[in-house]
Amino acid sequence: MPARVAIIDFEPAHQPAFRALNHAWISRYFTLEAPDHQVLDEPQRYVLDPGGHILMAVYNDEIVGTCALIKEHGGVYELAKMAVAPAAQGLGIGWALGQGILQKARQLGAHRVELISNSTLVPALALYEKLGFRHVPLAPTPYQRGDVRMVLDLPAAG
């Protein structure tokens, strides 16, 4: 991770950046769907209040990335809304966000982290594989663009 990158916890003042970063990447490849709008417009309600977490990446004093952890059920969390500004891609920020969100999942007692992605997002899929995620059959998802499901089982803290 570059020395000038910091991974910090989400604060309410970060909501516009959280929304803008995700809106930009989703719109680049797909169409924003109803679940996107809910999470991006009200991260407190849809991510934080139910027990999830959001991280922000700061590079040269500018917010350039984000990643959310959404609590699903019984120790299962979803890695969602990971986005890095195009100008900051290739700097290891996605890796740092992924490592940070998985550390947070462990702290929250997660035993599994899941994600839904799309097969056209080859660099993202490679990052998830590098983080330890494995491909599993796709379950029903609220996202039309979702055609890949990956999971990472976390060992119990001991």
Side-chain angles (χ1 to χ4, degrees), residues 78-146:
E78 177 188 4
L79 184 155
K81 304 299 181 245
M82 180 183 275
V84 176
Q89 290 176 1
L91 298 175
I93 293 169
W95 173 255
L97 282 165
Q99 291 281 12
I101 212 72
L102 292 176
Q103 179 180 355
K104 181 53 72 173
R106 288 180 185 92
Q107 291 171 359
L108 293 172
H111 66 80
R112 173 175 274 191
V113 178
E114 303 179 341
L115 64 86
I116 302 295
S117 190
N118 185 280
S119 55
T120 63
L121 301 175
V122 175
L125 297 177
L127 171 63
Y128 301 141
E129 290 168 355
K130 185 177 173 184
L131 287 166
F133 284 85
R134 61 185 166 81
H135 293 264
V136 296
L138 185 67
T141 171
Y143 293 99
Q144 300 225 350
R145 66 180 175 265

Side-chain angles (χ1 to χ4, degrees), residues 29-95:
Y29 299 101
F30 309 104
T31 300
L32 271 87
E33 301 178 45
D36 294 314
H37 290 291
Q38 289 177 331
V39 171
L40 298 179
D41 292 342
E42 298 184 73
Q44 185 71 45
R45 177 178 175 191
Y46 289 100
V47 179
L48 303 175
D49 289 348
H53 199 79
I54 301 172
L55 294 177
M56 307 299 289
V58 180
Y59 179 68
N60 290 341
D61 298 320
E62 181 181 344
I63 293 177
V64 296
T66 186
C67 184
L69 189 65
I70 300 173
K71 186 174 185 178
E72 295 291 321
H73 55 81
V76 177
Y77 287 77
E78 177 188 4
L79 184 155
K81 304 299 181 245
M82 180 183 275
V84 176
Q89 290 176 1
L91 298 175
I93 293 169
W95 173 255

